[in-house]
Coordinates of all heavy atoms in Angstrom, one line a residue:
H30 N -17.3 3.1 12.6 CA -18.1 2.1 13.4 C -19.2 2.8 14.2 O -20.3 2.2 14.4 CB -17.2 1.2 14.2 CG -16.3 0.4 13.4 ND1 -15.1 -0.1 13.9 CD2 -16.4 -0.1 12.1 CE1 -14.5 -0.8 12.9 NE2 -15.3 -0.8 11.9
R33 N -22.0 3.7 11.9 CA -22.7 2.5 11.4 C -23.6 2.0 12.5 O -24.7 1.5 12.3 CB -21.8 1.4 11.0 CG -21.2 1.6 9.6 CD -20.6 0.3 9.1 NE -21.6 -0.7 8.9 CZ -21.3 -1.9 8.5 NH1 -20.1 -2.3 8.3 NH2 -22.3 -2.8 8.2
H34 N -23.2 2.2 13.8 CA -24.0 1.7 14.9 C -25.3 2.6 15.0 O -26.4 2.1 15.3 CB -23.3 1.9 16.2 CG -24.0 1.5 17.4 ND1 -24.3 0.2 17.7 CD2 -24.6 2.2 18.4 CE1 -25.0 0.1 18.8 NE2 -25.2 1.3 19.3
R37 N -27.5 1.8 10.5 CA -27.0 0.6 9.8 C -27.3 0.7 8.3 O -28.5 1.0 8.0 CB -27.6 -0.7 10.4 CG -27.0 -2.0 9.8 CD -27.5 -3.2 10.6 NE -26.9 -4.4 10.1 CZ -27.0 -5.5 10.8 NH1 -27.7 -5.6 11.9 NH2 -26.4 -6.6 10.3
T41 N -27.3 -5.3 4.8 CA -26.2 -5.8 5.6 C -26.5 -7.1 6.3 O -25.7 -7.6 7.1 CB -25.8 -4.8 6.7 OG1 -27.0 -4.5 7.5 CG2 -25.3 -3.5 6.1
A42 N -27.6 -7.7 5.9 CA -27.9 -9.0 6.5 C -27.1 -10.1 5.8 O -27.4 -10.5 4.7 CB -29.4 -9.3 6.3
G43 N -26.0 -10.5 6.4 CA -25.1 -11.3 5.7 C -25.0 -12.7 6.3 O -25.7 -13.2 7.1
T44 N -24.0 -13.5 5.8 CA -23.8 -14.9 6.1 C -22.9 -15.0 7.3 O -22.8 -16.1 7.9 CB -23.2 -15.6 4.9 OG1 -22.0 -15.0 4.5 CG2 -24.2 -15.6 3.7
T45 N -22.1 -14.0 7.7 CA -21.2 -14.1 8.8 C -21.6 -13.1 9.8 O -21.4 -11.9 9.6 CB -19.7 -13.8 8.3 OG1 -19.4 -14.7 7.2 CG2 -18.8 -14.1 9.4
G46 N -22.1 -13.6 11.0 CA -22.4 -12.7 12.1 C -21.3 -12.6 13.1 O -20.4 -13.5 13.1
P47 N -21.3 -11.7 14.0 CA -20.2 -11.5 15.0 C -20.0 -12.8 15.8 O -18.9 -13.1 16.2 CB -20.7 -10.3 15.8 CG -21.6 -9.6 14.9 CD -22.3 -10.6 14.0
G48 N -21.1 -13.5 16.0 CA -21.0 -14.8 16.8 C -20.2 -15.8 16.2 O -19.7 -16.8 16.9
E49 N -20.0 -15.8 14.9 CA -19.2 -16.8 14.2 C -17.7 -16.4 14.0 O -16.9 -17.2 13.5 CB -19.8 -17.0 12.8 CG -21.3 -17.4 12.8 CD -21.9 -17.3 11.4 OE1 -21.2 -17.6 10.4 OE2 -23.1 -17.0 11.3
L50 N -17.4 -15.2 14.4 CA -16.0 -14.7 14.2 C -15.1 -15.1 15.4 O -15.6 -15.3 16.5 CB -16.1 -13.2 14.1 CG -16.8 -12.7 12.8 CD1 -17.1 -11.2 12.9 CD2 -16.0 -13.0 11.6
V51 N -13.8 -15.1 15.1 CA -12.9 -15.5 16.2 C -11.7 -14.6 16.1 O -11.4 -14.0 15.0 CB -12.4 -17.0 16.1 CG1 -13.6 -17.9 16.3 CG2 -11.8 -17.2 14.7
L52 N -11.0 -14.4 17.2 CA -9.7 -13.8 17.3 C -9.0 -14.6 18.3 O -9.1 -14.4 19.5 CB -9.8 -12.3 17.6 CG -8.5 -11.5 17.5 CD1 -7.9 -11.7 16.1 CD2 -8.7 -10.1 17.8
D53 N -8.2 -15.6 17.9 CA -7.5 -16.6 18.7 C -6.6 -15.9 19.7 O -5.6 -15.3 19.4 CB -6.7 -17.5 17.9 CG -6.2 -18.7 18.7 OD1 -6.1 -18.6 19.9 OD2 -5.8 -19.7 18.0
E76 N -8.0 -13.7 10.4 CA -9.1 -13.5 11.4 C -9.3 -12.0 11.6 O -10.5 -11.6 11.8 CB -8.6 -14.1 12.7 CG -8.5 -15.6 12.8 CD -8.0 -16.2 14.1 OE1 -7.7 -15.4 15.0 OE2 -7.8 -17.4 14.1
V77 N -8.3 -11.2 11.6 CA -8.5 -9.8 11.8 C -9.2 -9.1 10.7 O -10.1 -8.3 10.8 CB -7.1 -9.1 12.0 CG1 -7.3 -7.6 12.1 CG2 -6.5 -9.6 13.3
A78 N -8.9 -9.6 9.4 CA -9.5 -9.0 8.3 C -11.0 -9.4 8.3 O -11.9 -8.5 7.9 CB -8.9 -9.6 7.0
E79 N -11.4 -10.5 8.7 CA -12.8 -10.9 8.8 C -13.5 -10.2 9.9 O -14.7 -9.9 9.8 CB -12.9 -12.5 9.1 CG -12.4 -13.3 7.9 CD -12.3 -14.8 8.2 OE1 -12.5 -15.1 9.4 OE2 -12.2 -15.6 7.2
L80 N -12.8 -9.9 11.0 CA -13.3 -9.2 12.1 C -13.6 -7.7 11.9 O -14.5 -7.1 12.4 CB -12.4 -9.4 13.3 CG -12.9 -9.4 14.7 CD1 -13.7 -10.6 15.0 CD2 -11.7 -9.3 15.7
L81 N -12.6 -7.1 11.2 CA -12.6 -5.6 11.1 C -13.9 -4.9 10.7 O -14.3 -4.0 11.3 CB -11.4 -5.2 10.2 CG -10.8 -3.8 10.4 CD1 -10.3 -3.7 11.8 CD2 -9.7 -3.6 9.4
P82 N -14.6 -5.4 9.7 CA -15.8 -4.7 9.3 C -16.9 -4.8 10.3 O -17.9 -4.1 10.3 CB -16.3 -5.4 8.0 CG -15.0 -6.1 7.5 CD -14.3 -6.5 8.8
H83 N -16.8 -5.7 11.3 CA -17.8 -5.9 12.4 C -17.5 -5.1 13.6 O -18.1 -5.3 14.6 CB -17.9 -7.4 12.8 CG -18.4 -8.3 11.7 ND1 -19.8 -8.6 11.6 CD2 -17.8 -9.0 10.7 CE1 -20.0 -9.4 10.6 NE2 -18.8 -9.7 10.0
G84 N -16.5 -4.2 13.5 CA -16.0 -3.5 14.7 C -17.1 -2.7 15.4 O -17.0 -2.5 16.6
W85 N -18.1 -2.4 14.6 CA -19.2 -1.6 15.2 C -20.2 -2.4 16.1 O -20.9 -1.9 16.9 CB -20.0 -0.9 14.1 CG -20.8 -1.8 13.2 CD1 -20.2 -2.6 12.3 CD2 -22.2 -2.0 13.2 NE1 -21.2 -3.4 11.7 CE2 -22.4 -3.0 12.2 CE3 -23.2 -1.4 13.8 CZ2 -23.7 -3.4 11.9 CZ3 -24.5 -1.8 13.5 CH2 -24.7 -2.8 12.5
D86 N -20.2 -3.7 15.9 CA -21.2 -4.5 16.7 C -20.6 -5.8 17.2 O -21.2 -6.8 17.5 CB -22.4 -4.9 15.8 CG -22.1 -5.8 14.6 OD1 -20.9 -5.9 14.3 OD2 -23.1 -6.4 14.0
L87 N -19.3 -5.8 17.4 CA -18.6 -7.0 18.0 C -18.9 -7.2 19.5 O -19.1 -6.2 20.2 CB -17.1 -6.8 17.9 CG -16.4 -7.0 16.5 CD1 -14.9 -6.7 16.6 CD2 -16.6 -8.4 16.0
P88 N -19.0 -8.4 19.9 CA -19.0 -8.7 21.3 C -17.8 -8.1 22.0 O -16.8 -7.9 21.5 CB -19.0 -10.2 21.4 CG -19.4 -10.7 20.1 CD -19.0 -9.7 19.1
Y89 N -18.0 -7.7 23.3 CA -17.0 -7.0 24.0 C -15.6 -7.7 24.0 O -14.6 -7.0 23.8 CB -17.4 -6.8 25.5 CG -16.4 -6.1 26.4 CD1 -16.1 -4.8 26.2 CD2 -15.6 -6.9 27.2 CE1 -15.1 -4.2 27.0 CE2 -14.6 -6.3 28.0 CZ -14.4 -4.9 27.9 OH -13.4 -4.4 28.6
K90 N -15.6 -9.0 24.2 CA -14.3 -9.7 24.3 C -13.5 -9.6 23.0 O -12.3 -9.4 22.9 CB -14.5 -11.1 24.7 CG -14.8 -11.3 26.2 CD -14.8 -12.8 26.6 CE -15.1 -12.9 28.1 NZ -15.2 -14.4 28.5
L91 N -14.2 -9.7 21.8 CA -13.6 -9.6 20.5 C -13.1 -8.2 20.3 O -12.0 -8.0 19.8 CB -14.5 -10.1 19.4 CG -14.8 -11.6 19.3 CD1 -15.8 -11.9 18.2 CD2 -13.5 -12.3 19.0
K92 N -14.0 -7.3 20.6 CA -13.6 -5.9 20.4 C -12.4 -5.5 21.2 O -11.5 -4.8 20.8 CB -14.8 -5.0 20.8 CG -14.6 -3.5 20.5 CD -15.8 -2.7 20.8 CE -17.0 -3.0 19.9 NZ -18.1 -2.1 20.2
L95 N -9.3 -7.0 19.7 CA -8.9 -6.3 18.5 C -8.2 -5.0 18.8 O -7.1 -4.7 18.3 CB -10.1 -6.0 17.6 CG -9.9 -5.2 16.3 CD1 -8.9 -6.0 15.4 CD2 -11.2 -5.0 15.6
R118 N -7.2 -11.9 1.4 CA -8.2 -11.1 2.0 C -7.6 -10.0 3.0 O -8.2 -8.9 3.0 CB -9.2 -12.0 2.8 CG -10.3 -11.3 3.5 CD -11.4 -12.2 3.9 NE -12.6 -11.5 4.5 CZ -13.7 -12.1 4.8 NH1 -13.9 -13.4 4.6 NH2 -14.7 -11.4 5.3
A180 N -20.5 -2.8 4.0 CA -21.6 -3.8 4.2 C -21.2 -5.1 3.5 O -21.5 -6.2 4.1 CB -22.9 -3.3 3.8
L182 N -18.2 -6.2 2.8 CA -17.1 -6.8 3.6 C -17.7 -7.5 4.8 O -17.3 -8.6 5.2 CB -16.2 -5.7 4.1 CG -15.1 -5.2 3.1 CD1 -14.2 -4.1 3.8 CD2 -14.3 -6.3 2.5
T183 N -18.7 -6.8 5.5 CA -19.3 -7.4 6.7 C -19.9 -8.7 6.4 O -19.9 -9.7 7.2 CB -20.4 -6.4 7.2 OG1 -19.8 -5.2 7.5 CG2 -21.0 -7.0 8.5
D184 N -20.5 -8.8 5.2 CA -21.1 -10.1 4.7 C -20.2 -11.1 4.2 O -20.6 -12.2 3.8 CB -22.2 -9.8 3.6 CG -23.4 -9.0 4.2 OD1 -23.5 -8.9 5.4 OD2 -24.2 -8.6 3.4
G185 N -18.9 -10.8 4.2 CA -17.9 -11.7 3.7 C -17.8 -11.7 2.2 O -17.1 -12.5 1.6

Side-chain angles (χ1 to χ4, degrees):
H30 293 155
R33 283 196 65 184
H34 180 73
R37 188 171 185 169
T41 57
T44 56
T45 305
E49 302 168 36
L50 297 166
V51 295
L52 188 55
D53 187 340
E76 289 177 5
V77 172
E79 292 173 348
L80 206 70
L81 205 56
H83 291 271
W85 67 288
D86 66 344
L87 284 176
Y89 175 75
K90 286 186 177 180
L91 285 178
K92 187 178 293 187
L95 179 59
R118 184 165 181 171
L182 281 180
T183 304
D184 290 352

